[in-house]
Amino acid sequence: MAHLARLLQFSDSTLPIGSFAFSNGLESAVQTGVVSDPESLLAYVDLILRQTARMDGIALLHAHRAALARDHEAILLADRELFCRRVGEEQQLMLTRVGKKFAELVIKIMPSPALERWLADIRANATPGCLPVGQAIALAHMDVDEAEAFVMHQYAIASMIMSAALRLMRIDHLDTQRILFTAQGRVEGDYRAVRDRSLDEMASFAPVFDVLVAHHTTTHVRLFMN
């Protein structure tokens, strides 16, 4: 029971690591009319979850396996490979800023030599510090299996977007919870689709999302950092 409770704690959208400051491109999607109602919001979340599984999810799985094997170099490789594939300054900022905060928080809660070593490398500019990699290290230390770690990561992404939607759109908590519940139905399929992929196979074709992220850097009025 404690295992499940701690897993829920690290997937909570109120975890104080700064994710509330990011919308994962939703702000621009709303401004440009790509997202305008619950149906289009569900389609947007579905897109993000698919993209995230095939990028961040693969890095998380490899970092989790490396953490279990105590292979620090393999952890750093997953970190670098993910950072290089996340195009756009704001996407890279989100991954690394929240990733560092996550590591700092977890170390305050529980001792983890592997996470402390990774955080030291971040501070020394030896590795970017992407959030999924930090999550993988922490969860491996807690004996959370890779499938559970993948589910937690995907849930946290969807929850972050729903939190932003409540501040950006005319939408209520009932709709956002319905969308979140529906979106989680794809997680097992996404895990099965990526669990055997190599780091070299990390890729996602989502041009609309990439344009929205680029658009956000030029907007003058905005609530979120991306």
Side-chain angles (χ1 to χ4, degrees), residues 176-204:
T176 55
Q177 288 303 308
R178 176 181 60 81
I179 291 168
L180 185 59
F181 185 86
T182 302
Q184 296 311 303
R186 64 171 300 131
V187 68
E188 184 173 355
D190 282 333
Y191 171 70
R192 291 181 182 277
V194 305
R195 63 184 177 183
D196 297 322
R197 296 192 184 187
S198 68
L199 288 175
D200 288 340
E201 293 177 291
M202 277 197 298
S204 179

PDB file of all heavy atoms in Angstrom, residues 176-204:
ATOM      1  N   THR A 176     -12.838  18.418 -17.786  1.00  0.00           N
ATOM      2  CA  THR A 176     -11.412  18.080 -17.756  1.00  0.00           C
ATOM      3  C   THR A 176     -11.192  16.691 -17.158  1.00  0.00           C
ATOM      4  O   THR A 176     -10.320  15.947 -17.619  1.00  0.00           O
ATOM      5  CB  THR A 176     -10.596  19.121 -16.969  1.00  0.00           C
ATOM      6  OG1 THR A 176     -11.130  19.273 -15.646  1.00  0.00           O
ATOM      7  CG2 THR A 176     -10.607  20.472 -17.683  1.00  0.00           C
ATOM      8  N   GLN A 177     -11.980  16.328 -16.152  1.00  0.00           N
ATOM      9  CA  GLN A 177     -11.830  14.990 -15.576  1.00  0.00           C
ATOM     10  C   GLN A 177     -12.300  13.910 -16.551  1.00  0.00           C
ATOM     11  O   GLN A 177     -11.715  12.823 -16.623  1.00  0.00           O
ATOM     12  CB  GLN A 177     -12.602  14.894 -14.254  1.00  0.00           C
ATOM     13  CG  GLN A 177     -11.961  15.659 -13.118  1.00  0.00           C
ATOM     14  CD  GLN A 177     -10.535  15.224 -12.838  1.00  0.00           C
ATOM     15  OE1 GLN A 177     -10.259  14.036 -12.670  1.00  0.00           O
ATOM     16  NE2 GLN A 177      -9.611  16.169 -12.798  1.00  0.00           N
ATOM     17  N   ARG A 178     -13.347  14.212 -17.305  1.00  0.00           N
ATOM     18  CA  ARG A 178     -13.806  13.253 -18.327  1.00  0.00           C
ATOM     19  C   ARG A 178     -12.729  13.055 -19.389  1.00  0.00           C
ATOM     20  O   ARG A 178     -12.443  11.928 -19.814  1.00  0.00           O
ATOM     21  CB  ARG A 178     -15.097  13.760 -18.978  1.00  0.00           C
ATOM     22  CG  ARG A 178     -15.589  12.876 -20.123  1.00  0.00           C
ATOM     23  CD  ARG A 178     -16.864  13.429 -20.743  1.00  0.00           C
ATOM     24  NE  ARG A 178     -16.692  14.765 -21.286  1.00  0.00           N
ATOM     25  CZ  ARG A 178     -16.154  15.032 -22.482  1.00  0.00           C
ATOM     26  NH1 ARG A 178     -15.728  14.029 -23.255  1.00  0.00           N
ATOM     27  NH2 ARG A 178     -16.038  16.270 -22.907  1.00  0.00           N
ATOM     28  N   ILE A 179     -12.124  14.155 -19.827  1.00  0.00           N
ATOM     29  CA  ILE A 179     -11.070  14.086 -20.841  1.00  0.00           C
ATOM     30  C   ILE A 179      -9.866  13.316 -20.302  1.00  0.00           C
ATOM     31  O   ILE A 179      -9.292  12.454 -20.991  1.00  0.00           O
ATOM     32  CB  ILE A 179     -10.664  15.505 -21.282  1.00  0.00           C
ATOM     33  CG1 ILE A 179     -11.812  16.140 -22.075  1.00  0.00           C
ATOM     34  CG2 ILE A 179      -9.383  15.479 -22.115  1.00  0.00           C
ATOM     35  CD1 ILE A 179     -11.633  17.625 -22.314  1.00  0.00           C
ATOM     36  N   LEU A 180      -9.492  13.598 -19.065  1.00  0.00           N
ATOM     37  CA  LEU A 180      -8.350  12.915 -18.459  1.00  0.00           C
ATOM     38  C   LEU A 180      -8.613  11.408 -18.361  1.00  0.00           C
ATOM     39  O   LEU A 180      -7.745  10.592 -18.683  1.00  0.00           O
ATOM     40  CB  LEU A 180      -8.086  13.496 -17.070  1.00  0.00           C
ATOM     41  CG  LEU A 180      -6.859  13.000 -16.308  1.00  0.00           C
ATOM     42  CD1 LEU A 180      -5.581  13.260 -17.097  1.00  0.00           C
ATOM     43  CD2 LEU A 180      -6.781  13.658 -14.942  1.00  0.00           C
ATOM     44  N   PHE A 181      -9.816  11.046 -17.950  1.00  0.00           N
ATOM     45  CA  PHE A 181     -10.186   9.639 -17.827  1.00  0.00           C
ATOM     46  C   PHE A 181     -10.137   8.947 -19.186  1.00  0.00           C
ATOM     47  O   PHE A 181      -9.600   7.842 -19.325  1.00  0.00           O
ATOM     48  CB  PHE A 181     -11.601   9.539 -17.235  1.00  0.00           C
ATOM     49  CG  PHE A 181     -12.053   8.137 -16.962  1.00  0.00           C
ATOM     50  CD1 PHE A 181     -11.732   7.507 -15.767  1.00  0.00           C
ATOM     51  CD2 PHE A 181     -12.801   7.439 -17.898  1.00  0.00           C
ATOM     52  CE1 PHE A 181     -12.149   6.204 -15.519  1.00  0.00           C
ATOM     53  CE2 PHE A 181     -13.224   6.140 -17.654  1.00  0.00           C
ATOM     54  CZ  PHE A 181     -12.896   5.522 -16.458  1.00  0.00           C
ATOM     55  N   THR A 182     -10.674   9.619 -20.205  1.00  0.00           N
ATOM     56  CA  THR A 182     -10.688   9.038 -21.555  1.00  0.00           C
ATOM     57  C   THR A 182      -9.273   8.897 -22.108  1.00  0.00           C
ATOM     58  O   THR A 182      -8.915   7.862 -22.679  1.00  0.00           O
ATOM     59  CB  THR A 182     -11.528   9.916 -22.500  1.00  0.00           C
ATOM     60  OG1 THR A 182     -12.862  10.025 -21.979  1.00  0.00           O
ATOM     61  CG2 THR A 182     -11.576   9.322 -23.899  1.00  0.00           C
ATOM     62  N   ALA A 183      -8.475   9.925 -21.921  1.00  0.00           N
ATOM     63  CA  ALA A 183      -7.116   9.927 -22.472  1.00  0.00           C
ATOM     64  C   ALA A 183      -6.250   8.827 -21.882  1.00  0.00           C
ATOM     65  O   ALA A 183      -5.369   8.276 -22.566  1.00  0.00           O
ATOM     66  CB  ALA A 183      -6.462  11.288 -22.235  1.00  0.00           C
ATOM     67  N   GLN A 184      -6.483   8.469 -20.618  1.00  0.00           N
ATOM     68  CA  GLN A 184      -5.669   7.439 -19.984  1.00  0.00           C
ATOM     69  C   GLN A 184      -5.910   6.051 -20.577  1.00  0.00           C
ATOM     70  O   GLN A 184      -5.116   5.130 -20.362  1.00  0.00           O
ATOM     71  CB  GLN A 184      -5.943   7.400 -18.475  1.00  0.00           C
ATOM     72  CG  GLN A 184      -5.539   8.659 -17.740  1.00  0.00           C
ATOM     73  CD  GLN A 184      -4.131   9.111 -18.073  1.00  0.00           C
ATOM     74  OE1 GLN A 184      -3.175   8.356 -17.907  1.00  0.00           O
ATOM     75  NE2 GLN A 184      -3.994  10.335 -18.548  1.00  0.00           N
ATOM     76  N   GLY A 185      -6.970   5.908 -21.355  1.00  0.00           N
ATOM     77  CA  GLY A 185      -7.266   4.618 -21.944  1.00  0.00           C
ATOM     78  C   GLY A 185      -6.252   4.144 -22.965  1.00  0.00           C
ATOM     79  O   GLY A 185      -6.224   2.962 -23.321  1.00  0.00           O
ATOM     80  N   ARG A 186      -5.389   5.055 -23.440  1.00  0.00           N
ATOM     81  CA  ARG A 186      -4.421   4.680 -24.459  1.00  0.00           C
ATOM     82  C   ARG A 186      -3.071   4.251 -23.881  1.00  0.00           C
ATOM     83  O   ARG A 186      -2.170   3.848 -24.625  1.00  0.00           O
ATOM     84  CB  ARG A 186      -4.213   5.845 -25.431  1.00  0.00           C
ATOM     85  CG  ARG A 186      -3.602   7.097 -24.799  1.00  0.00           C
ATOM     86  CD  ARG A 186      -3.212   8.137 -25.864  1.00  0.00           C
ATOM     87  NE  ARG A 186      -2.235   7.572 -26.762  1.00  0.00           N
ATOM     88  CZ  ARG A 186      -2.327   7.622 -28.095  1.00  0.00           C
ATOM     89  NH1 ARG A 186      -3.343   8.227 -28.661  1.00  0.00           N
ATOM     90  NH2 ARG A 186      -1.381   7.082 -28.850  1.00  0.00           N
ATOM     91  N   VAL A 187      -2.885   4.323 -22.564  1.00  0.00           N
ATOM     92  CA  VAL A 187      -1.544   4.198 -22.007  1.00  0.00           C
ATOM     93  C   VAL A 187      -0.944   2.803 -22.224  1.00  0.00           C
ATOM     94  O   VAL A 187       0.249   2.692 -22.524  1.00  0.00           O
ATOM     95  CB  VAL A 187      -1.544   4.579 -20.505  1.00  0.00           C
ATOM     96  CG1 VAL A 187      -2.314   3.577 -19.655  1.00  0.00           C
ATOM     97  CG2 VAL A 187      -0.120   4.732 -20.001  1.00  0.00           C
ATOM     98  N   GLU A 188      -1.736   1.745 -22.097  1.00  0.00           N
ATOM     99  CA  GLU A 188      -1.175   0.409 -22.283  1.00  0.00           C
ATOM    100  C   GLU A 188      -0.725   0.192 -23.727  1.00  0.00           C
ATOM    101  O   GLU A 188       0.349  -0.374 -23.982  1.00  0.00           O
ATOM    102  CB  GLU A 188      -2.186  -0.672 -21.888  1.00  0.00           C
ATOM    103  CG  GLU A 188      -1.600  -2.078 -21.980  1.00  0.00           C
ATOM    104  CD  GLU A 188      -2.523  -3.147 -21.427  1.00  0.00           C
ATOM    105  OE1 GLU A 188      -3.589  -2.807 -20.877  1.00  0.00           O
ATOM    106  OE2 GLU A 188      -2.169  -4.337 -21.549  1.00  0.00           O
ATOM    107  N   GLY A 189      -1.525   0.672 -24.673  1.00  0.00           N
ATOM    108  CA  GLY A 189      -1.146   0.551 -26.077  1.00  0.00           C
ATOM    109  C   GLY A 189       0.124   1.317 -26.386  1.00  0.00           C
ATOM    110  O   GLY A 189       0.982   0.843 -27.155  1.00  0.00           O
ATOM    111  N   ASP A 190       0.265   2.507 -25.796  1.00  0.00           N
ATOM    112  CA  ASP A 190       1.480   3.300 -26.016  1.00  0.00           C
ATOM    113  C   ASP A 190       2.697   2.601 -25.423  1.00  0.00           C
ATOM    114  O   ASP A 190       3.774   2.579 -26.028  1.00  0.00           O
ATOM    115  CB  ASP A 190       1.320   4.696 -25.397  1.00  0.00           C
ATOM    116  CG  ASP A 190       0.484   5.618 -26.252  1.00  0.00           C
ATOM    117  OD1 ASP A 190       0.450   5.419 -27.486  1.00  0.00           O
ATOM    118  OD2 ASP A 190      -0.127   6.558 -25.703  1.00  0.00           O
ATOM    119  N   TYR A 191       2.532   2.016 -24.240  1.00  0.00           N
ATOM    120  CA  TYR A 191       3.655   1.303 -23.630  1.00  0.00           C
ATOM    121  C   TYR A 191       4.092   0.120 -24.494  1.00  0.00           C
ATOM    122  O   TYR A 191       5.286  -0.081 -24.750  1.00  0.00           O
ATOM    123  CB  TYR A 191       3.284   0.833 -22.224  1.00  0.00           C
ATOM    124  CG  TYR A 191       4.304  -0.096 -21.609  1.00  0.00           C
ATOM    125  CD1 TYR A 191       5.557   0.385 -21.229  1.00  0.00           C
ATOM    126  CD2 TYR A 191       4.029  -1.454 -21.445  1.00  0.00           C
ATOM    127  CE1 TYR A 191       6.509  -0.462 -20.682  1.00  0.00           C
ATOM    128  CE2 TYR A 191       4.977  -2.303 -20.902  1.00  0.00           C
ATOM    129  CZ  TYR A 191       6.215  -1.817 -20.527  1.00  0.00           C
ATOM    130  OH  TYR A 191       7.165  -2.661 -19.997  1.00  0.00           O
ATOM    131  N   ARG A 192       3.140  -0.656 -24.949  1.00  0.00           N
ATOM    132  CA  ARG A 192       3.472  -1.810 -25.782  1.00  0.00           C
ATOM    133  C   ARG A 192       4.127  -1.375 -27.096  1.00  0.00           C
ATOM    134  O   ARG A 192       4.977  -2.086 -27.644  1.00  0.00           O
ATOM    135  CB  ARG A 192       2.208  -2.624 -26.066  1.00  0.00           C
ATOM    136  CG  ARG A 192       1.646  -3.337 -24.838  1.00  0.00           C
ATOM    137  CD  ARG A 192       0.414  -4.154 -25.184  1.00  0.00           C
ATOM    138  NE  ARG A 192      -0.156  -4.803 -24.018  1.00  0.00           N
ATOM    139  CZ  ARG A 192       0.272  -5.956 -23.506  1.00  0.00           C
ATOM    140  NH1 ARG A 192       1.271  -6.587 -24.093  1.00  0.00           N
ATOM    141  NH2 ARG A 192      -0.299  -6.485 -22.435  1.00  0.00           N
ATOM    142  N   ALA A 193       3.740  -0.189 -27.597  1.00  0.00           N
ATOM    143  CA  ALA A 193       4.285   0.290 -28.865  1.00  0.00           C
ATOM    144  C   ALA A 193       5.748   0.724 -28.762  1.00  0.00           C
ATOM    145  O   ALA A 193       6.484   0.683 -29.748  1.00  0.00           O
ATOM    146  CB  ALA A 193       3.436   1.455 -29.379  1.00  0.00           C
ATOM    147  N   VAL A 194       6.179   1.138 -27.552  1.00  0.00           N
ATOM    148  CA  VAL A 194       7.524   1.715 -27.440  1.00  0.00           C
ATOM    149  C   VAL A 194       8.480   0.918 -26.564  1.00  0.00           C
ATOM    150  O   VAL A 194       9.683   1.201 -26.554  1.00  0.00           O
ATOM    151  CB  VAL A 194       7.447   3.167 -26.893  1.00  0.00           C
ATOM    152  CG1 VAL A 194       6.526   4.020 -27.760  1.00  0.00           C
ATOM    153  CG2 VAL A 194       6.989   3.215 -25.442  1.00  0.00           C
ATOM    154  N   ARG A 195       8.001  -0.085 -25.846  1.00  0.00           N
ATOM    155  CA  ARG A 195       8.858  -0.724 -24.840  1.00  0.00           C
ATOM    156  C   ARG A 195      10.088  -1.410 -25.433  1.00  0.00           C
ATOM    157  O   ARG A 195      11.104  -1.572 -24.736  1.00  0.00           O
ATOM    158  CB  ARG A 195       8.044  -1.741 -24.037  1.00  0.00           C
ATOM    159  CG  ARG A 195       7.497  -2.904 -24.847  1.00  0.00           C
ATOM    160  CD  ARG A 195       6.630  -3.820 -23.998  1.00  0.00           C
ATOM    161  NE  ARG A 195       6.053  -4.899 -24.806  1.00  0.00           N
ATOM    162  CZ  ARG A 195       5.206  -5.797 -24.317  1.00  0.00           C
ATOM    163  NH1 ARG A 195       4.859  -5.739 -23.045  1.00  0.00           N
ATOM    164  NH2 ARG A 195       4.726  -6.739 -25.101  1.00  0.00           N
ATOM    165  N   ASP A 196      10.032  -1.803 -26.709  1.00  0.00           N
ATOM    166  CA  ASP A 196      11.173  -2.484 -27.320  1.00  0.00           C
ATOM    167  C   ASP A 196      11.979  -1.585 -28.253  1.00  0.00           C
ATOM    168  O   ASP A 196      12.877  -2.064 -28.946  1.00  0.00           O
ATOM    169  CB  ASP A 196      10.687  -3.721 -28.091  1.00  0.00           C
ATOM    170  CG  ASP A 196      10.047  -4.759 -27.179  1.00  0.00           C
ATOM    171  OD1 ASP A 196      10.549  -4.944 -26.058  1.00  0.00           O
ATOM    172  OD2 ASP A 196       9.037  -5.374 -27.578  1.00  0.00           O
ATOM    173  N   ARG A 197      11.668  -0.318 -28.268  1.00  0.00           N
ATOM    174  CA  ARG A 197      12.385   0.605 -29.164  1.00  0.00           C
ATOM    175  C   ARG A 197      13.701   1.067 -28.549  1.00  0.00           C
ATOM    176  O   ARG A 197      13.813   1.235 -27.339  1.00  0.00           O
ATOM    177  CB  ARG A 197      11.513   1.820 -29.502  1.00  0.00           C
ATOM    178  CG  ARG A 197      10.260   1.469 -30.273  1.00  0.00           C
ATOM    179  CD  ARG A 197       9.587   2.711 -30.834  1.00  0.00           C
ATOM    180  NE  ARG A 197       8.334   2.390 -31.507  1.00  0.00           N
ATOM    181  CZ  ARG A 197       7.614   3.255 -32.193  1.00  0.00           C
ATOM    182  NH1 ARG A 197       8.016   4.505 -32.311  1.00  0.00           N
ATOM    183  NH2 ARG A 197       6.477   2.883 -32.760  1.00  0.00           N
ATOM    184  N   SER A 198      14.668   1.277 -29.409  1.00  0.00           N
ATOM    185  CA  SER A 198      15.975   1.766 -28.960  1.00  0.00           C
ATOM    186  C   SER A 198      15.948   3.286 -28.848  1.00  0.00           C
ATOM    187  O   SER A 198      15.013   3.952 -29.326  1.00  0.00           O
ATOM    188  CB  SER A 198      17.046   1.344 -29.959  1.00  0.00           C
ATOM    189  OG  SER A 198      16.867   2.033 -31.193  1.00  0.00           O
ATOM    190  N   LEU A 199      16.983   3.846 -28.241  1.00  0.00           N
ATOM    191  CA  LEU A 199      17.083   5.315 -28.157  1.00  0.00           C
ATOM    192  C   LEU A 199      17.147   5.930 -29.546  1.00  0.00           C
ATOM    193  O   LEU A 199      16.628   7.033 -29.766  1.00  0.00           O
ATOM    194  CB  LEU A 199      18.318   5.707 -27.341  1.00  0.00           C
ATOM    195  CG  LEU A 199      18.252   5.471 -25.833  1.00  0.00           C
ATOM    196  CD1 LEU A 199      19.592   5.798 -25.201  1.00  0.00           C
ATOM    197  CD2 LEU A 199      17.146   6.303 -25.192  1.00  0.00           C
ATOM    198  N   ASP A 200      17.768   5.232 -30.491  1.00  0.00           N
ATOM    199  CA  ASP A 200      17.859   5.744 -31.856  1.00  0.00           C
ATOM    200  C   ASP A 200      16.490   5.838 -32.523  1.00  0.00           C
ATOM    201  O   ASP A 200      16.335   6.569 -33.508  1.00  0.00           O
ATOM    202  CB  ASP A 200      18.761   4.848 -32.711  1.00  0.00           C
ATOM    203  CG  ASP A 200      20.226   4.988 -32.343  1.00  0.00           C
ATOM    204  OD1 ASP A 200      20.582   6.013 -31.725  1.00  0.00           O
ATOM    205  OD2 ASP A 200      21.002   4.077 -32.655  1.00  0.00           O
ATOM    206  N   GLU A 201      15.525   5.109 -32.000  1.00  0.00           N
ATOM    207  CA  GLU A 201      14.181   5.110 -32.579  1.00  0.00           C
ATOM    208  C   GLU A 201      13.255   6.144 -31.938  1.00  0.00           C
ATOM    209  O   GLU A 201      12.078   6.194 -32.272  1.00  0.00           O
ATOM    210  CB  GLU A 201      13.562   3.719 -32.457  1.00  0.00           C
ATOM    211  CG  GLU A 201      14.258   2.665 -33.301  1.00  0.00           C
ATOM    212  CD  GLU A 201      13.676   1.284 -33.104  1.00  0.00           C
ATOM    213  OE1 GLU A 201      13.852   0.707 -32.013  1.00  0.00           O
ATOM    214  OE2 GLU A 201      13.037   0.765 -34.053  1.00  0.00           O
ATOM    215  N   MET A 202      13.772   6.935 -31.024  1.00  0.00           N
ATOM    216  CA  MET A 202      12.966   8.019 -30.464  1.00  0.00           C
ATOM    217  C   MET A 202      12.641   9.014 -31.566  1.00  0.00           C
ATOM    218  O   MET A 202      13.539   9.622 -32.153  1.00  0.00           O
ATOM    219  CB  MET A 202      13.727   8.756 -29.350  1.00  0.00           C
ATOM    220  CG  MET A 202      13.659   8.100 -28.004  1.00  0.00           C
ATOM    221  SD  MET A 202      14.146   9.224 -26.667  1.00  0.00           S
ATOM    222  CE  MET A 202      15.828   9.590 -27.100  1.00  0.00           C
ATOM    223  N   ALA A 203      11.369   9.190 -31.867  1.00  0.00           N
ATOM    224  CA  ALA A 203      10.967  10.118 -32.922  1.00  0.00           C
ATOM    225  C   ALA A 203       9.469  10.336 -32.833  1.00  0.00           C
ATOM    226  O   ALA A 203       8.729   9.463 -32.377  1.00  0.00           O
ATOM    227  CB  ALA A 203      11.319   9.569 -34.304  1.00  0.00           C
ATOM    228  N   SER A 204       9.042  11.512 -33.270  1.00  0.00           N
ATOM    229  CA  SER A 204       7.612  11.796 -33.289  1.00  0.00           C
ATOM    230  C   SER A 204       7.326  12.826 -34.360  1.00  0.00           C
ATOM    231  O   SER A 204       8.010  13.850 -34.447  1.00  0.00           O
ATOM    232  CB  SER A 204       7.156  12.320 -31.927  1.00  0.00           C
ATOM    233  OG  SER A 204       5.780  12.618 -31.956  1.00  0.00           O
TER     234      SER A 204
END
